[in-house]
Amino acid sequence: MPPGEHAPPRGPYEQAAPPGTYEHPVPPGQNDHAAPSSPYEQVAPSSPYQQVDPPGPYDAVVLAGGGARRLGGGDKPGVSVGGLTLIERVVAAVPDAVRLVVVGPERPGLAGAEFVREDPPGGGPVPALRAGLARVSSPWVALLAADLPFLLTGHVKALRAAAGPRPGAVLVDDGGREQWLTGVWRTDALAGALAAYDGRSLYGLLGPLEPVRLSLAVGDDGRVPWFDCDTFDDVSDARKRFPSVTDKR
């Protein structure tokens, strides 16, 4: 995710989800673009929003075309963590999305995905979002990075339910920082913002929409939904959370 892009301190639209019971995520394979099932999937903490029916159908746009310079320029979405690639884990978190759009090079293992490239390739998250949103037809869209090893179905459901009448909802980490590539948005609001924006910052684009800022309760095992794998140390740390699996990539 782009570092350093976060809005001012928490505002009136923030919602905090208190700890609750645990529930299993929707099993992978529920639709044609879910990742392979795995015994290593973590359960997601529930929140009050998981008891609310999320508003309307949604598509998912996964940004997977970055340069991964801090990972030596390799294929970051294809890095294996816990027996699945990073992008397979993210896709498994949106099994009920009507349409799955991946902005990045075509790759195997993502049945049902539509692939598109930003112009120019590697041009950054805002051009990538423009390219992905052009394929979206549902009233809501989940905007996600491709390097979130611990994102689960329950987290996305909580974001969708929390958005309510607002233009969207974005996850905040334990330090109160917005995770702009872990959010759910009204498609028309996002399209309108893009049409009026010529900058390169996700905060500059999304911050003025004043989304709900959702803080989710997490367990004590370090598998937090906002954790992203930007460096070799991040990948190593994520793999340690799956001690019974040996990753080869």
Side-chain angles (χ1 to χ4, degrees), residues 163-220:
R166 303 298 305 166
V170 64
L171 185 69
V172 297
D173 65 16
D174 54 356
R177 294 175 291 269
E178 294 90 347
Q179 305 301 301
W180 296 113
L181 289 179
T182 315
V184 173
W185 304 89
R186 292 182 183 272
T187 301
D188 57 356
L190 204 51
L194 275 170
Y197 187 70
D198 59 3
R200 298 176 58 84
S201 162
L202 281 177
Y203 166 48
L205 171 67
L206 301 176
L209 294 177
E210 297 187 341
V212 171
R213 303 170 73 251
L214 181 64
S215 176
L216 287 174
V218 296
D220 59 0

Side-chain angles (χ1 to χ4, degrees), residues 71-96:
L71 275 173
D75 176 23
K76 179 164 65 169
V79 170
S80 179
V81 171
L84 295 174
T85 65
L86 288 172
I87 193 169
E88 284 173 340
R89 289 192 167 278
V90 173
V91 168
V94 288
D96 51 348

Side-chain angles (χ1 to χ4, degrees), residues 33 59-64 87 91 94 97-104 110 112-117 128-137 141-144:
H33 59 248
D59 294 342
V61 172
V62 180
L63 304 192
I87 193 169
V91 168
V94 288
V98 176
R99 176 175 290 177
L100 171 66
V101 181
V102 176
V103 185
L110 301 178
E114 300 180 25
F115 293 91
V116 64
R117 294 305 305 268
L129 174 55
R130 290 185 192 277
L133 195 65
R135 300 290 187 93
V136 169
S137 58
V141 57
L143 175 61
L144 304 171

Side-chain angles (χ1 to χ4, degrees), residues 134-155:
R135 300 290 187 93
V136 169
S137 58
S138 295
W140 291 85
V141 57
L143 175 61
L144 304 171
D147 62 347
L148 302 168
F150 308 129
L151 184 70
L152 298 171
T153 304
H155 302 134

